[in-house]
Amino acid sequence: MATIRRHIFIDRPAEDVWALVGRPELLHEWFPTTGTKLEGDKRWIYLASGITFEEDIVTLDHALRRFQYKIVNNSIITSHLGTVDVIDDPHGGCVVIYSTEMEPEVLGLMVGGAAGAGLQKLKQLMES
Amino acid sequence: MGRKILFITTDQQRFDSLGCNGGTVARTPTIDALAHSGIRYTRAQPQNVVCMPSRSTMLTGQHPSTHGVWMNGVPLPIDAPSIAEDLWRSGYRTALIGKAHFEPFLDPFLRFAENRLGRDERATEYTRDENGTEVPHRGFEHLALSTHGGAGPFHYARWLANNHPEAVQMYYQVLDGAEMQVNATGGGDTNAPQVKVNPIPRDWYHTTWVAERTKDWLASLESDADWFCWMSFPDPHHPWDPPQSELHRVNWRDLDLPAGFIEDRSELERVLENKPRHWKAWWEGKFYSNFEPPRRWVPSTLTADQTREVNAMAHIMNEMIDEAIASVLSKIDERGWGDDVDVIFTTDHGEFQGDFNLLFKGPYHVDSLMRLPLIWRPAPSAQIAPQVVDNPVGLVSLAATFADIAGLERPEYVEASRLPVSSGDANALGHEQTLTEWDSVMFGKIVSQRTILRDGWVCSVYGKGTMHDGTEGELYNLQNDPLQRENLFDAPAHKATRDDLIAALWASQPPRQLPLRECDAPV
């Protein structure tokens, strides 16, 4: 089981960052995907390579500022849980933590890489 | 009009695979002729023994600690220095044809240009520098990329899918279907890992494709152009699946076992136990520290016949490369450039190919992986006499060498002098040692190794990691122990030598980029 964690400090209050991260239909605005579709608790994300991930939204907790999702109905990914937390820091900014547990483990590295790029873009968007 | 540069690399080729280096199986007359009329280096070392860090060293002239690609899967920063960019800025036409691998292969998000270019069938993409100049990707105005098979987003895979779709599945499947790990499935006559009888016609095979695309690009140039062409063959890296039509060249049943293969099992275990313990743990299948070898393959299962078959396949691949190079050199002569072209041939790292009864590569700094073929045939117009240079030189010297050939100042960013043209020149330039680094972190399994080669010795130290407490090391006398079977690191008689080498090792370390850049893919 791969366990991946990426994080970034953003010089904006957690509620401002959550205003984007907490809207799962807007993932493509900060994560390296080409499109997002949301229907109830289901989400589909579209990758530049042509791959589509079907996901179940597990948690969308606006009080805790936590989003969790699972990639489902995938012929290769047999187990997955992704978690995004947005947490206030003591200096008026926040830290965003993107965690992934998944099988096969090697794919976790690529999701982790995308998460790292996504967090960088999120910081850029929020601080610009 | 200046000197032109044909830079030829292979992937995972051993020093002893060439006739000019004592090889007795594969026929390599083209490379041997380059060596005969140029400079043959007998102690060329990589600065890392896997692809991405080593290739990044070739391009940047920096050690992995400096360029930051500390293991496979860590992308070279897009703003890293590039000797190709320097050449392009000075007016050279620039191309990289074949395997690049400065960026991860496994990239479903298509974050990296190497993967986007093939999918979109584009030759390069441009970024704007601080002065507003549009600069091609890493300095290459033309990229035609391939890797070890017919799958993936690269130009070769697209070409194969578009023109010969039935051939895509003829190659060995590099990753297994379930775990996406490097495939352990065996094939051939002996069920050797990563061996397959490949029915693909030779004309469709990637070695041929790389040579043909190189010739196409050369044919597109103006006759008075200065050019730098990196022709990068994916072979003889595994999978070992050359075209079936070529298997007649070397019958594995006729091969002797490699000198490094130990037939006596108790002697093999003694040799492995004399080394830091990750050696034997990997052989036993108890420790898997990196994504280079197949995860599910246990080296202790390797048989003598499997070793012979893997070697035969590699020899066949090397013969095909030699013939492909000949065809490109012929095209260069046709263009009338023969007297003005420098040819440099090398590889990124070696391969066990049966030494210590192992295959593939990893944190093992011995000649199998570290002694590389390196030949520089200067442009005949430069009138540089043929030489054999025994001084240690590193791939880190390539960037400065390209600059020197092109008449450019040595770039400030490089960390080594150009390659020497003679032993005296080597001494004058300070080529007395090389450094090699290994770092890997794979889901909590950590290995860190630093190595120095000088004065006929190779000495490695290990940092604290999953298998090491920070006191382990390896010390080999290359003259007395060419197969590196006797680890003298803890031998009292050699303590002074060891301590001197370790002192030189730490005194020579390049500055390290910290924090380490993230690993974004297994490879």
Side-chain angles (χ1 to χ4, degrees), chain B residues 130-144:
Chain B
E130 63 273 16
N131 300 317
T133 304
E134 296 273 334
V135 180
H137 186 61
R138 302 197 188 283
F140 295 104
E141 62 183 271
H142 180 88
L143 295 113

Side-chain angles (χ1 to χ4, degrees), chain B residues 245-420:
Chain B
S245 62
E246 309 307 306
L247 298 187
H248 64 89
R249 293 166 179 258
V250 182
N251 184 339
W252 65 265
R253 294 174 181 83
D254 296 338
L255 292 185
D256 293 330
L257 282 166
F261 189 90
I262 302 173
E263 293 189 78
D264 181 317
R265 198 164 180 98
S266 61
E267 171 64 3
L268 172 62
E269 294 200 32
R270 184 196 70 78
V271 168
L272 294 174
E273 286 166 0
N274 191 29
K275 299 178 184 300
R277 65 195 184 103
H278 68 291
W279 278 84
K280 187 157 186 239
W282 178 44
W283 179 72
E284 293 174 322
K286 294 176 179 173
F287 183 64
Y288 180 83
S289 66
N290 61 88
F291 293 105
E292 313 314 317
R295 174 77 176 264
R296 299 296 175 194
W297 179 68
V298 177
S300 60
T301 64
L302 181 69
T303 68
D305 282 350
Q306 288 175 335
T307 303
R308 289 187 177 94
E309 188 167 26
V310 165
N311 272 272
M313 293 293 198
H315 290 310
I316 291 165
M317 292 164 149
N318 290 333
E319 288 196 357
M320 292 178 63
I321 288 169
D322 192 84
E323 291 163 12
I325 293 170
S327 76
V328 172
L329 295 179
S330 176
K331 171 64 71 175
I332 288 170
D333 284 340
E334 278 178 29
R335 293 295 312 263
W337 289 328
D339 278 350
D340 295 319
V341 176
D342 285 67
V343 182
I344 296 185
F345 174 91
T346 191
T347 191
D348 53 359
H349 53 79
E351 153 69 47
F352 273 119
Q353 234 164 283
D355 288 358
F356 306 100
N357 303 41
L358 300 169
L359 297 173
F360 310 106
K361 56 193 181 289
Y364 311 96
H365 287 175
V366 290
D367 275 1
S368 320
L369 307 187
M370 294 224 301
R371 190 180 190 189
L372 307 183
L374 174 60
I375 291 154
W376 175 15
R377 200 295 308 275
S381 61
Q383 297 187 314
I384 295 171
Q387 295 282 336
V388 175
V389 172
D390 297 325
N391 299 59
V393 296
L395 299 185
V396 69
S397 286
L398 287 168
T401 306
F402 299 141
D404 188 72
I405 292 168
L408 306 180
E409 293 290 317
R410 173 178 154 168
E412 290 183 6
Y413 55 79
V414 303
E415 295 181 326
S417 303
R418 64 165 169 78
L419 289 170

Side-chain angles (χ1 to χ4, degrees), chain B residues 15-25 40:
Chain B
F15 173 83
D16 56 14
S17 64
L18 301 176
C20 59
N21 288 339
T24 57
V25 181
R40 182 172 67 87

Side-chain angles (χ1 to χ4, degrees), chain A residues 2 4 6 31-33 47-49 51 76 104-107 109-111 113-114 117, chain B residues 106-111 119 177-181 291 295 442-443 518-522:
Chain A
I4 301 291
R6 300 288 178 102
F31 204 83
T33 53
L47 278 54
S49 59
I51 293 171
I76 296 174
E105 66 177 12
V106 296
L107 296 185
L109 290 172
M110 290 171 266
V111 172
Chain B
L106 297 180
D107 178 23
F109 298 90
L110 288 186
R111 295 175 49 217
R119 183 205 57 173
E179 295 184 304
M180 300 294 286
Q181 295 276 358
F291 293 105
R295 174 77 176 264
M442 194 188 76
F443 301 118
E518 298 279 5
C519 179
D520 284 354

